[in-house]
Amino acid sequence: MGGWALAVHGGAGVDPNLPPHRQEQAKQLLTRCLNLGISALRSNASAIDVVELVVRELETDPLFNSGRGSALTEKGTVEMEASIMDGSKRRCGAVSGLTTVKNPISLARLVMDKSPHSYLAFNGAEEFARQQGVEVVENEYFITPENVGMLKLAKEANTILFDYRIPTAGYDSCGVGAESPLQMNGLPISVYAPETVGCVVVDKEGRCAAATSTGGLMNKKSGRIGDSPLIGAGTYACGVCGVSCTGEGEAIIRGTLAREVAAVMEYKGLSLQQAVDFVIKHRLDEGKAGLIAVSNTGDVAYGFNCNAMFRGCATEDGFMEVGIWD
Amino acid sequence: MGWAIALHGGAGDIPLSLPPERRQPREEALRHCLHIGVEGLKAKLPPLDVVERVVRELENIPQFNAGKGSVLTSKGTVEMEASIMDGTTMNCGAVSGLTTVVNAVSLARLVMEKTPHIYLAFDGAEEFARQQGVETLHSSHFITAENIERLKQAIEANRVQIDYTQPIQNDTKKETAIANGDSQIGTVGCVAVDGNGNLASATSTGGLVNKMVGRIGDTPVIGAGTYADTRCAVSATGKGEAIIRGTVARDVAALMEFKGLSLEEAATCVVHERTPKGTVGLVAVSAKGEVAMPFNTTGMFRACATEDGYSEISIWPAATKFE
C-alpha cells in the first residue's frame, strides 16, 4: 500500500439494545471525524496534528465518553485523561485528573511539546493548563444528563467489580445471576459507557501517531487512572505503527496492549493485521477490549474481542468504512 | 533453577568520587535489604510479599529516593509513586501523588487487592489510604535536609525550562542534583523469583528533583518502570521520560517472549541498544532463577543473590563481591 491512512474509535463494548437512532448518531460522528482527518491529510498535515485534531472533535461532541459527555466518578464529577504519541521520535504526552480543561488531548500535546515531562496529573496538570492558557470551563460543562442517569443506574447495579482471583465472599453481589447479561468492567452493558475515544494516523511521510482520550470508568473512585493515559497500554506509536485501545482498562494495562502490537511487528515480523489479531487473541485473557492501528506502510487495521466497537477507517486510495458490530 | 532476588537504589550519574561517608551507608542499606529479601525467600514467602517487604525497607531508608528521602517537587513538596506486579497472575497496582503515606508500595498493593482498579492517584489515593488505615505521617516526615539542598541547587542551576542537555556542574563536592534537575538517585525497586518460578516486581520513587507538581514518571506505569509475567520480573530506574517511551520493563519480557532471548541478552539489548546512554538501569530475574542488572548510566546502586550462594552489592560497573 503506502499513502496515508487513519482510523478512529468511540469505544469497545456496546449495548446490543442500543436504539437505532443512537447507532446512527454514532456513525455520523465517526464519519464526520474521518472526513476531518482526511481533509487535513490531503492538505499535508502531519500525523501528530491530525490525531489531535480528530480527538478534539470527539472530545467536543458529547456522544462518546471523553471531554464533554465523559463518564462520571462516584462523586458525580468528571475527571478526564488522555495521551498522545508521535511515532517518529516516540515523544509522548499524557494527562490525568483534568476537571476543567475543555480538550484534554491538547493539554497532553502541550505536556509533550512544552514541558520537560511526559505525564502531568490532577492539580499540577490543571495548573499547567492555566500557564499554557488553554480553554478551561466549569466541571459542569462536561456532565450530561444522560450520564447523570447512567451513574445512578451504575450505583444501583451495586457495581463492585468481580475479580476472578478473589473469593466473592465479603463482596456485595452485583445483582446479576449466573446467567448474567453482557458485562464489561463489572457493569451491565447497558450502563457501561464505552470508555474511550481514539485516533491513529499514518501520514504521507510514513509517520505514525496515536491519541486516546476518556472520562474513564462510570462510577470510578475519584483518582482512578485507567489505561488511556498510559503509554504502552492505551496509546503507543513508534516507527512502525500507531495504536489506540479501548475497553477494560485493567486488561489493557496488564496486557500492555498498544505496545504489544508494535512488539510483535518488530520482534516476530508480523504484518499490522496479523499483529492486531495476535494481540487481541493472546494478550487479553478474560479481558474485553478493542484497538485501532495503522502502520508506516499505510495499512489500517482494527480488532476487538467484545461484541462491538464504534470505529471508522479510511485510506488514501479511497477506502472508507464506519462500523459498530462484528 | 532456584530462587533469586535483585534490588536497586537508583541508576544515575553517581560520581566515582563519591566519598566513603556517603557510599558506605548506602552499601550497608543495600546489604540489609538484600538480607531481608533472601530471608523471605528462604522462608518460602511468595515473591510478591518479598518484593513488597524489600521495597518498604528501601522506602524507609532516607538515603534513597523513595518514601522518606524522596526528592522534592519545584514547590518543595513530596509526591511519591509506586507500582507492584505479580507475574503469576499479572495482577498489578499503582499509586501516584502520595504526600503522607509512609509506604507507597504497600498502598499500591492494596489498590491491586482491595479495589476494582489498578491505579489511584493524588487526593483519591490519599483518601483510599485513610479508608484502608495504612500508616500516614505529616509530609514533613519524608523531607530530608539533603533533598532541600538538592532542590536549591537544581533551582539555582535551572534556566527557564529544565534542559536535559546541560553539562554536569563541576561543583559536585556533594553528591547533588546535576544541572538538568535530575537526581542521581533515581528510584528503588526489587524483583524476585521463588523456586517454582513465581515472579514479582515492585518499584517506588519520589521522582525527579524539581519536577513540576503533578508530574508522573515511569515508576507507576506498568510496562515502563515495573513489569512481571511468567518469564521474568523487571524494575527500571533512570530518566522516567526515556523509560516510558521505551516501555523498558515490558520490552525485556517481550524480547524474551517473541525473540527467544535469554534474560541477560534481553536486558542487555534494552539497556544498551534500545535506550539512550545515560538514561536507564534495571534489575531483572527470570523464572529460571537468573539475574541481570544492566545500566547505561555511570552507576546503579544494586544488590542481588541467588539460591546457589552467589551474592553481590555494587554501585559502578565492576562488580564487587561481598559475602
Side-chain angles (χ1 to χ4, degrees), chain B residues 62 67-70 72 76-80 98-102 136-148:
Chain B
K68 186 170 176 155
S70 282
L72 306 180
T77 55
V78 154
E79 285 178 2
M80 301 171 285
L98 300 180
T99 51
T100 69
V101 174
V102 174
T136 57
L137 288 171
H138 190 270
S139 57
S140 55
H141 160 83
F142 304 94
I143 298 177
T144 59
E146 199 174 331
N147 278 311
I148 292 174

Side-chain angles (χ1 to χ4, degrees), chain A residues 75 85 89-92 114-122 124-125 127-128 131 161 163 165-166 171 217 220-225 230-232 236 250 253-254 256 259-260 263-264 266-268 278 283, chain B residues 75 85 89-92 113-125 127-128 131 161-162 164 208 211-216 221-223 227 241 244-247 250-251 254-255 257-259 274:
Chain A
K75 298 180 176 174
M85 193 160 186
K89 294 191 182 139
R90 288 182 300 152
R91 296 160 56 236
C92 44
K114 298 281 171 70
S115 88
H117 302 318
S118 291
Y119 190 4
L120 288 179
F122 292 89
E127 208 175 298
F128 178 66
Q131 284 164 15
L161 179 69
D163 184 325
R165 294 156 290 275
I166 294 180
Y171 280 81
L217 184 57
K220 66 183 179 180
K221 279 171 127 47
S222 176
R224 178 261 189 183
I225 292 178
L230 301 186
I231 298 297
Y236 191 75
E250 190 203 36
I253 292 173
R254 291 157 77 229
T256 52
R259 166 77 186 109
E260 284 314 284
V264 298
E266 233 186 310
Y267 301 149
K268 282 170 78 83
F278 179 93
R283 291 296 290 176
Chain B
K75 296 194 173 165
M85 190 160 185
T89 58
M90 307 263 301
N91 279 345
C92 36
E113 292 175 343
K114 298 285 170 68
T115 77
H117 303 320
I118 282 190
Y119 190 2
L120 287 180
F122 292 89
D123 291 349
E127 204 177 300
F128 176 65
Q131 285 165 11
Q161 186 84 326
I162 294 172
Y164 281 112
L208 287 186
K211 66 181 178 179
M212 291 172 71
V213 167
R215 179 260 188 187
I216 292 178
V221 180
I222 299 296
Y227 190 75
E241 285 68 17
I244 288 174
R245 73 152 62 94
T247 54
R250 169 60 191 151
D251 214 19
L255 282 165
E257 186 173 350
F258 300 131
K259 287 196 98 158
R274 295 181 63 86

Side-chain angles (χ1 to χ4, degrees), chain B residues 72-74 76 147-155 209-210:
Chain B
L72 306 180
T73 69
S74 58
N147 278 311
I148 292 174
E149 184 56 36
R150 280 204 184 93
L151 178 63
K152 193 155 158 282
Q153 300 232 344
I155 289 174
V209 179
N210 201 20

Side-chain angles (χ1 to χ4, degrees), chain B residues 3 23 35 38 75 112 119 127-128 140 145 148 161 176 196 224 226 251 253 256 261 296 300 314:
Chain B
W3 55 256
R23 195 190 75 228
H35 178 77
V38 167
K75 296 194 173 165
M112 176 172 92
Y119 190 2
E127 204 177 300
F128 176 65
S140 55
I148 292 174
Q161 186 84 326
T176 55
N196 295 320
T226 300
D251 214 19
M256 290 180 75
L261 298 191
N296 64 23
M300 179 170 77
S314 319

Side-chain angles (χ1 to χ4, degrees), chain B residues 36-114:
Chain B
I36 288 181
V38 167
E39 291 306 296
L41 285 168
K42 282 181 174 165
K44 304 227 187 295
L45 289 183
L48 191 66
D49 291 354
V50 172
V51 300
E52 184 191 355
R53 268 196 194 189
V54 171
V55 171
R56 282 177 66 95
E57 214 47 43
L58 288 161
E59 284 170 339
N60 294 341
I61 293 167
Q63 282 92 353
F64 293 124
N65 174 15
K68 186 170 176 155
S70 282
V71 301
L72 306 180
T73 69
S74 58
K75 296 194 173 165
T77 55
V78 154
E79 285 178 2
M80 301 171 285
E81 48 195 17
S83 64
I84 187 166
M85 190 160 185
D86 179 353
T88 313
T89 58
M90 307 263 301
N91 279 345
C92 36
V95 286
S96 281
L98 300 180
T99 51
T100 69
V101 174
V102 174
N103 290 104
V105 70
S106 294
L107 193 69
R109 184 160 181 186
L110 288 169
V111 173
M112 176 172 92
E113 292 175 343
K114 298 285 170 68

